[in-house]
Amino acid sequence: AGLASAIRMATKGFQVEVYEANSYPGGKLSEIRMEGYRFDAGPSLFTMPMYIEELYRLAGKPIEDYFAYQRLETVCHYFWEDGTFLKAFSDVDAFCKEIESKLGIDSQAVLNLLEDSRFKYDACGKIFLEKSLHRLSTWTNKEVAKAVLKIPRLDIFSSMNDVNEKRLKHPKLVQLFNRFATYNGSNPYKVPGLLNIIPHFEHHIGAFFPKGGMHAITQGLYRLAVDLGVQFHFKQAVQKIELEGKTATGIHTDKGYHPFDLLISNMDIWFTYRKLLPDIPHPEKRLRLEKSTSALIFYWGIKKSFPQLDLHNIFFSEDYKQEFAELDSGRVYDDPTVYINITKKHEPTDAPEGCENWFTMINVPYDSGQDWDALIQTARKNILSKLKRQLQVDIEPLIECQAILDPRSIQRKTSSHLGALYGTSSNNRFAAFLRHPNFSQRLKNLYFCGGSVHPGGGIPLCLLSAKITDELVTNNLTQNV
């Protein structure tokens, strides 16, 4: 979001400077290298590439000079404890044939659900995701009026699980489509059915893989920003936002005061207020909203190749509802759903010959003071036991190297409050309206982007937060001329 905002402002003719606490750009979208293995450290799924393409188009630069990607033929491999294996092809017809073959059911219900997902996106996706929900102008146009008429079909008052159970019937398919709630750190048994909009992104628009891995997104955007004249100041954490009355006028770092005409904070909104704006009233209700889930990630260098695995792999828990109940209670489930990302499947240099780089992740609660050292050891044991059962191979002796990311280190490295990956959760049906807006309602010249503000977390939504902020800045400048 910060990179996208910098690029957008630079294309408008602003002189842009970025202050970054870390020694590298990109926030969560970074990488880890160790002992001949390379891992994408954060987000591992690439969807909605048009939001990346738009930045290069705005800059007047050919994207192929910076960034390349390919559409995946297979989105994900799904595994269940009873030995069921399902390959989610990107082609919808092929995916449906796989469902009929492996689950022995008519796939028409899946086609209907995916068409409903498309309908939801066409009806309200651009309003909720690409516009500020906190400006009157958003709600006074014909598109919104049309969307209001479609509310009965948007499943706002039913949970995602209720919708999926009603339409899909088969428990494995329900579980498969319930998992899309985790894309923004929410609970499918609580989140409104409107979030069934998410499968449209993956199964109609597609899932993609960048050449060089997900970190290539960061590298390409960073190079683009530099080429546009953006100045980066690494290892310079912002300590405070300077105010003159009700106007933001600059920032303080350990190297002094830096005046600016306009400020955009990409920092988690909680820390933006608590650390950078200590002297003004804080939006306490918004800052106390329920946090999203976090993640526990093991980066494992595996000295073996597994042909039955693909780039994206899911090993489901036996009791999905109980897993989310445990997460809601601040606990880590003993039989967690395990996600494994292996970029070696598309990037041969990401691991030595005959080896694979496993990004092994489970959903965990945000940090509320749990004994994470103990939880990590237990979770590691449970994950290895689960993978041994399902792959029929003892994984632990194959681990050559290991790094770990948990809620504590997520907060430390990215200032994500309590390690929550997506800021606030979307479990409340009004969550979209409760998220912090992309502008300050108290201060002039201060804007916000990133996963903790509207429209939410994940790469596409972070890019859209930058787009919304861009439009707000442009409109305000136009009104002040």
Side-chain angles (χ1 to χ4, degrees), residues 8 87 174 214 372 410:
R8 286 179 174 276
K87 186 182 293 187
V174 173
M214 296 294 287
W372 285 107
I410 289 171

Side-chain angles (χ1 to χ4, degrees), residues 127 131-142 144 439 441 472 475 479:
I127 297 169
K131 298 292 182 182
S132 171
L133 301 184
H134 306 87
R135 290 291 197 194
L136 180 62
S137 57
T138 300
W139 305 103
T140 55
N141 63 64
K142 294 180 181 179
V144 172
F439 61 95
Q441 295 171 308
L472 290 169
N475 290 339
Q479 293 170 9

Side-chain angles (χ1 to χ4, degrees), residues 271-285:
F271 284 108
T272 297
Y273 279 104
R274 297 296 197 234
K275 286 191 173 183
L276 307 187
L277 294 165
D279 302 323
I280 68 167
H282 295 173
E284 295 297 341
K285 287 185 178 180

